[in-house]
Amino acid sequence: MNYNGAPGLEFGGGNIKIDPSVAAELPEGCRVVSTESHGVSFWAYTGRIDVDLADGTPQSFFIKVISKERGKNMMHGEFESMSATHALLPDFTPKPIAWGTYETVPDTHFFLCEFREMIDEMPDPHRFTARLAALHQNSKSPQDKFGFHVTTYTGNLPQDNEWEASWETYFAKSMRRALNLELEAKGPDTEFDTLVPALFDKVIPRLLRPLESDGRSLKPSLVHGDLWYANSGIDVGTGESLIFDACSFYAHNESHMQPLDEDEFGQWRPVCNRFGAEYLAAYHSYNQISPPEEDYDGRLDLYKL
């Protein structure tokens, strides 16, 4: 966990004191009535803030708190990701409110959004993927390129989101960063000496270049960036599916890899993810497979690396 603590500002135990920077983002005239630890995160401290508005109406907020410079960048990236998704499909994600730095603990940073009560049941495949397809279809990259305007983080690992006109170029650059991080963490691997050159010289060009060759073009689609079942839920009030904890960018809508999470579906292939074949089939009833279709399985094998 990238959280060093904030004495006197912990959630729960009857504490209703919150940092002034957080208080400034809550509705004017509201009164904090309770705080509690809520949810689970590998990297941050998460909680719920309950307030009474000026007219007495209760309202709740979700907060994520993290430390250090990387934590600051993670909160910024999550806010921009959730804001982009919420602007397109406001019912598909909790509304992001703010991100910032604690006034009383300068090396501590937060992300604040509306609180939505959820259950962790799997969503209906067609209702869920219809929303996901709408996100991909209705989004438009501001530069008509692949990337994002800020660095986003898969977990605590930064994604290289500098804009690229070619999906192959963007993907290869991101894969290169992932492999470099792996080697930095675990040291040299003799298998990499054989496999990595083949991956970049043969596999990636063979499977991705045809997407943008022979008159074909590929639309950069806004993607969640880390779409596995634990980052989704069912809204108790509406019964509709929600997604959260995004690290978005504009990418090929079929590709979703771990740890890079380059888009939405390569990650649905591993057996550890409950989004399986039923969800893939449902999605493609709304959004067709990218041509050349005969490369689809090979592309997903590549993306799930």
Side-chain angles (χ1 to χ4, degrees):
M1 180 179 289
N2 295 8
Y3 175 64
N4 295 335
L9 298 175
E10 306 293 350
F11 307 129
N15 181 41
I16 59 172
K17 183 179 179 181
I18 59 175
D19 184 84
S21 294
V22 177
E25 302 294 347
L26 298 176
E28 185 176 356
C30 75
R31 179 177 64 90
V32 177
V33 295
S34 69
T35 66
E36 63 181 67
S37 177
H38 182 86
V40 177
S41 171
F42 290 116
W43 315 111
Y45 178 52
T46 54
R48 169 176 170 165
I49 301 172
D50 295 321
V51 308
D52 283 341
L53 301 180
D55 64 2
T57 304
Q59 191 169 345
S60 298
F61 301 88
F62 175 81
I63 185 169
K64 181 182 289 188
V65 186
I66 197 167
S67 303
K68 301 183 179 179
E69 185 67 20
R70 175 165 292 194
K72 178 181 179 180
N73 296 333
M74 289 167 67
M75 296 300 91
H76 184 197
E78 182 168 352
F79 176 79
E80 295 294 336
S81 298
M82 296 285 283
S83 295
T85 301
H86 190 267
L88 280 168
L89 291 176
D91 294 332
F92 199 27
T93 184
K95 180 181 179 180
I97 295 169
W99 78 279
T101 297
Y102 272 19
E103 179 181 311
T104 54
V105 192
D107 199 29
T108 299
H109 317 283
F110 69 91
F111 165 74
L112 185 72
C113 70
E114 68 173 343
F115 181 86
R116 303 281 289 271
E117 188 72 52
M118 286 180 272
I119 55 176
D120 62 0
E121 293 180 2
M122 292 299 293
D124 175 81
H126 277 274
R127 292 169 67 181
F128 179 76
T129 57
R131 288 185 159 195
L132 189 61
L135 175 66
H136 296 162
Q137 292 165 349
N138 297 337
S139 58
K140 180 173 176 56
S141 169
Q143 299 198 29
D144 199 28
K145 293 181 179 181
F146 302 95
F148 204 58
H149 62 283
V150 300
T151 299
T152 52
Y153 285 72
T154 303
N156 69 341
L157 299 178
Q159 299 184 135
D160 190 342
N161 283 337
E162 290 186 9
W163 298 104
E164 297 286 352
S166 161
W167 169 243
E168 179 190 345
T169 301
Y170 181 90
F171 180 90
K173 178 180 66 176
S174 298
M175 174 63 83
R176 183 78 68 181
R177 168 173 280 203
L179 292 172
N180 287 340
L181 290 170
E182 181 79 5
L183 289 170
E184 287 175 14
K186 298 182 180 178
D189 187 314
T190 55
E191 285 188 299
F192 272 32
D193 296 337
T194 301
L195 296 176
V196 169
L199 177 66
F200 287 96
D201 295 341
K202 297 181 180 180
V203 178
I204 291 176
R206 167 60 188 87
L207 291 172
L208 301 190
R209 193 166 299 171
L211 291 165
E212 300 170 289
S213 302
D214 299 325
R216 303 183 189 96
S217 62
L218 200 60
K219 175 186 181 294
S221 297
L222 182 68
V223 300
H224 176 282
D226 191 12
L227 192 55
W228 66 307
Y229 71 89
N231 286 341
S232 70
I234 305 294
D235 186 289
V236 171
T238 67
E240 293 292 344
S241 56
L242 293 170
I243 57 175
F244 49 90
D245 204 14
C247 50
S248 297
F249 52 99
Y250 292 88
H252 179 205
N253 65 298
E254 289 176 0
S255 68
H256 193 222
M257 52 193 283
Q258 188 135 335
L260 290 179
D261 300 317
E262 291 301 334
D263 215 326
E264 305 302 353
F265 301 128
Q267 191 175 341
W268 288 13
R269 277 293 182 85
V271 294
C272 61
N273 199 335
R274 299 180 195 172
F275 288 131
E278 185 179 11
Y279 288 85
L280 283 170
Y283 176 85
H284 286 305
S285 70
Y286 301 105
N287 208 357
Q288 67 179 12
I289 293 173
S290 299
E293 292 84 353
E294 60 268 24
D295 289 346
Y296 175 72
D297 285 332
R299 291 194 299 263
L300 292 198
D301 284 339
L302 172 63
Y303 294 151
K304 73 182 180 182
L305 290 177

